[in-house]
Amino acid sequence: MNEPADSNRGPNRTERRQAVAAGIPIQTPLLSYLQVLDGPSAGELVVFPDQGEIVLGRSPDCQLRLEDPAVSWEHARITLRPTARVCDLGSTNGTSLRGQVCEPELPLCSGDILWVANAIHVRYGVQSEREIELAQKLYQGATRDFLTGLLNRATFFRHLEQEFALWERHGGEFGLLVLDADYFKQVNDSHGHGAGDQLLKELANTLREQCRLEDVVARYGGEEFVVLLRSTQLEGCENFAERMRASVESRTFMPESLQLRATVSIGGTLPLPGDTVGKLIDRADQALYLAKSRGRNRCEFLVEG
């Protein structure tokens, strides 16, 4: 039975075969998108929603978030109707297009590259749905851990370096946590690597549930995870870590036939004067080692050099 006709979708397999046999060009739907070209989110691609509008800026509520201190909270708006246009929202450092400053708006053509706050390039484009799906898959493959779907280690480091640079220039506070699944080798040895993989997936989901939209969570490697807690003081970091530890301890993981429970040890720290990103990570690792040495299923923080 053939699929029903729908003007908002591309041709189905039967329609494509019929079109090829008849020598008719196949029409595919075109979608508008924005793609980040540099910064921690380089490669990220956002398709315009039905209302045809995207606001970009540093706010977690923006449809396209640009994590650079030069970018304003709500920096610019791109609309598609009646024609594609970019409007600067009174940003501190401005928006430019083809060497011209948006005061307040300029028309957009497919392929145009916006220069946001003299810091990040963003491309506006129009492509077929299949081309956009391929670009999104390539981006996911380059930035995500294949098993858990969290950010991978390299991408996390780009976010951490950006946050650290912001802290050096403007102050503020943030926390870094390193989490390790306790006795993970025993899970693999007793139940197999499939069970271990499933446990890591469920731990990743627990982390997602606990994190705020503005936080950054990633798989660090093996059974270790890392979390960047933005705009958070020591007390808030300690509360988050304890909440995460208790949440994991209280859950039953895996199929009911196994009834597998797990715990995590957590080490954390905050940036200190004279720090580098390397020193910050080393101190978080030392805090994790301290937690494990004191019996595991613990949270420990080091906030002195």
Side-chain angles (χ1 to χ4, degrees), residues 23 70 80 91 107 122 149 155 163 187 193 210 241 254 259 298 301-302:
L80 301 182
S91 66
V122 177
T155 305
E163 191 70 21
V187 175
H193 288 279
Q210 296 291 334
M254 314 296 294
Q259 290 289 300
R298 294 177 59 94
F301 277 77
L302 290 177

Side-chain angles (χ1 to χ4, degrees), residues 117-138:
N118 297 319
I120 297 179
H121 293 89
V122 177
R123 177 194 288 123
Y124 165 73
V126 179
Q127 286 187 317
S128 73
E129 186 175 6
R130 290 181 180 83
E131 288 173 316
I132 288 177
E133 286 177 354
L134 175 60
Q136 289 174 323
K137 287 179 181 178
L138 291 174

Side-chain angles (χ1 to χ4, degrees), residues 229-240:
L229 295 170
R230 289 192 165 103
S231 302
T232 308
Q233 298 178 348
L234 177 60
E235 183 179 1
C237 292
E238 291 175 331
N239 290 340
F240 175 90

Side-chain angles (χ1 to χ4, degrees), residues 25-295:
I26 299 175
Q27 300 296 320
T28 58
L30 297 178
L31 300 174
S32 296
Y33 67 91
L34 295 176
Q35 186 170 32
V36 182
L37 300 184
D38 38 32
S41 301
E44 181 180 0
L45 188 150
V46 177
V47 177
F48 277 80
D50 292 338
Q51 62 266 35
E53 177 179 297
I54 287 178
V55 175
L56 55 86
R58 283 193 296 113
S59 168
D61 295 328
C62 289
Q63 291 89 347
L64 178 57
R65 190 175 186 209
L66 302 177
E67 298 175 13
D68 190 283
V71 177
S72 295
W73 200 242
E74 291 189 348
H75 195 100
R77 177 185 294 111
I78 295 89
T79 56
L80 301 182
R81 301 182 183 93
T83 58
R85 305 185 74 81
V86 55
C87 174
D88 186 85
L89 297 176
S91 66
T92 301
N93 296 307
T95 307
S96 345
L97 173 64
R98 300 186 293 271
Q100 185 177 355
V101 177
C102 296
E103 293 181 344
E105 65 177 25
L106 290 171
L108 276 171
C109 299
S110 181
D112 277 345
I113 296 177
L114 298 169
W115 188 217
V116 181
N118 297 319
I120 297 179
H121 293 89
V122 177
R123 177 194 288 123
Y124 165 73
V126 179
Q127 286 187 317
S128 73
E129 186 175 6
R130 290 181 180 83
E131 288 173 316
I132 288 177
E133 286 177 354
L134 175 60
Q136 289 174 323
K137 287 179 181 178
L138 291 174
Y139 173 71
Q140 293 291 323
T143 61
R144 299 282 171 175
D145 172 63
F146 75 98
L147 177 65
T148 63
L150 298 177
L151 292 179
N152 60 28
R153 182 185 180 120
T155 305
F156 179 84
F157 269 88
R158 291 199 292 272
H159 285 274
L160 179 60
E161 288 166 353
Q162 186 83 35
E163 191 70 21
F164 189 84
L166 176 62
W167 170 79
E168 283 189 309
R169 278 181 275 178
H170 302 285
E173 293 177 305
F174 70 89
L176 175 65
L177 306 182
V178 182
L179 302 87
D180 184 84
D182 296 328
Y183 307 109
F184 182 73
K185 185 177 184 300
Q186 294 181 14
V187 175
N188 280 335
D189 292 345
S190 300
H191 304 288
H193 288 279
D197 286 350
Q198 185 60 35
L199 175 61
L200 292 177
K201 291 179 185 178
E202 296 192 32
L203 285 174
N205 289 335
T206 305
L207 269 173
R208 285 193 192 93
E209 293 168 1
Q210 296 291 334
C211 286
R212 302 166 301 176
L213 184 61
E214 62 266 35
D215 298 329
V216 183
V217 57
R219 186 181 179 192
Y220 195 52
E223 64 271 27
E224 287 191 344
F225 301 87
V226 282
V227 180
L228 169 61
L229 295 170
R230 289 192 165 103
S231 302
T232 308
Q233 298 178 348
L234 177 60
E235 183 179 1
C237 292
E238 291 175 331
N239 290 340
F240 175 90
E242 177 56 31
R243 195 164 60 245
M244 173 57 64
R245 187 205 62 75
S247 176
V248 172
E249 185 182 33
S250 66
R251 290 187 56 178
T252 299
F253 294 89
M254 314 296 294
E256 292 184 3
S257 58
L258 289 180
Q259 290 289 300
L260 181 65
R261 291 186 176 274
T263 61
V264 292
S265 298
I266 303 175
T269 191
L270 276 69
L272 302 175
D275 261 351
T276 63
V277 171
K279 288 181 179 179
L280 182 70
I281 294 169
D282 286 345
R283 195 163 57 251
D285 280 336
Q286 291 169 13
L288 175 63
Y289 177 80
L290 181 62
K292 284 186 167 294
S293 68
R294 291 180 173 175

